[in-house]
Amino acid sequence: MLSVLCALVLAGCAGSAPEAARSKDRLLRATASVSVEPGAGAPAPGAAAEEAADAHEHEDEVDEDGAEVGDGLDPTVDPAAGTRAHSPLAAMTEAQIEELLAKDPAALGPMSVGATNAGALFNGVRMPESDRWELVDPGHAWGTRETVDALDRAIAEVHRQFPGSPKLYIGHISARDGGRLSPHKSHQAGRDVDISYFLDARHRWYQRATAANLDRERTWAFVRALITETDVELILIDSSVQRLLKEHALKIGEDRDWLDEVFQYGSRKPRALIRHARGHANHIHIRFYSPVAQESAVRAYPLLVKRGAIKPTAQYVRHTAKKGQTLGSLARQYGTTVEAIKRANGLRSTAIQAKRVYNIPRPSSGPAAPPKHVVVPPRRLPPPRAAEASRPVRHEEAGPSLGG
């Protein structure tokens, strides 16, 4: 019976000391932010690494409207307009799932548990090595199967249009089992990816994209593929780089109304797919939907907790800080502790800022509530006329002109 169940599932899935903890955080930041020369092997830390680590440590993953983008749940998605995710585990009984958990847990497939800033990853898939990308920190490049496949698909599209394109650098996705990954607020459930822009021949990991070094054609081809060929929830790009990419897209004939739906820069339309967040001029942050992995987690969550395969995922109240409020006052208001709020938000001090959104842990005497069902919205596709007018120019026809 076990082999039959495995086949069914696979067919459906296409207390250290404070100083030691601080040392570990510093090591992770350095590893995630080192400079890598094209063709180099293991990354080596240096002055550029320290500067990049400092920049990344202060990345807040809040868009310019003050809305938090680190929670992995987008309340603007209309369930009626989207597609409810389905998992092969839906056809299985709890007894069948428990049997697989006991005898062959890998057969259940990857699961993205909870929110991206308070979640876990079960049966994660490590991003493979490739001649098309460089893994900056392979130990923290674990994601869902859908995340890995979507990233590969978008990069492959760039190489289809521009054969011989240089490597991209892939930074953090998630730890093998998900959970808190310093210095990020998110990256906890296998659906977030930090990746470089396509830059010039002197490209290094965590190098700032500018008008002088950004390869607009390849970077736009990559971003366009993410939007049109994958289930992407959001993309974080600094507004200065958004401007360069949007100008290039208009120049090659993309539909202006569609670009206003996609880019936050230069648009008044609400909740653009590509949003500004400080700290994202030197890398792109992508968050994918993983419908199967997310829905499998919803189905199996109580059993995963019951067997100790994962810890109960945290539940948060989102609080917009007001002038004069402190962590102490928030802790008293919500019945939690200052340290718990600091951990939930990756804070190193007790200072908070007015108008910033903070995660406040919700006290609970029992197991946390299971993850919510996921609804994947329709992809934001350009109108047919724009798709025809902006047929990508093949490398053989005209090579990319760096700098537009």
Side-chain angles (χ1 to χ4, degrees), residues 157 160-162 217 220-221 224 228-229 248-255 258 382-398:
E157 176 58 21
R160 184 192 70 79
Q161 294 182 36
F162 307 111
E217 289 183 322
W220 172 238
R224 194 183 199 279
T228 61
E229 298 188 24
H248 170 75
L250 286 168
K251 182 179 178 180
I252 64 173
E254 298 283 13
D255 183 82
W258 176 62
R385 64 181 184 277
E388 289 298 321
S390 61
R391 180 183 63 85
V393 178
R394 293 298 299 264
H395 181 75
E396 296 85 354
E397 300 171 8

Side-chain angles (χ1 to χ4, degrees), residues 299-377:
R299 178 73 179 94
Y301 177 82
L303 302 177
L304 293 172
V305 173
K306 176 183 176 182
R307 294 192 60 86
I310 63 169
K311 295 179 181 179
T313 56
Q315 300 294 303
Y316 293 126
V317 175
R318 297 173 65 194
H319 178 92
T320 302
K322 299 177 177 61
K323 186 177 180 180
Q325 288 186 322
T326 66
L327 286 189
S329 66
L330 294 182
R332 290 189 294 273
Q333 178 180 344
Y334 289 100
T336 184
T337 67
V338 169
E339 287 302 315
I341 299 175
K342 287 175 64 178
R343 285 194 301 270
N345 295 277
L347 300 176
R348 289 177 166 267
S349 72
T350 57
I352 60 173
Q353 300 175 21
K355 298 183 180 180
R356 281 282 306 276
V357 180
Y358 293 91
N359 293 321
I360 311 298
R362 180 185 302 164
S364 175
S365 58
K372 297 180 180 179
H373 293 289
V374 61
V375 175
V376 181

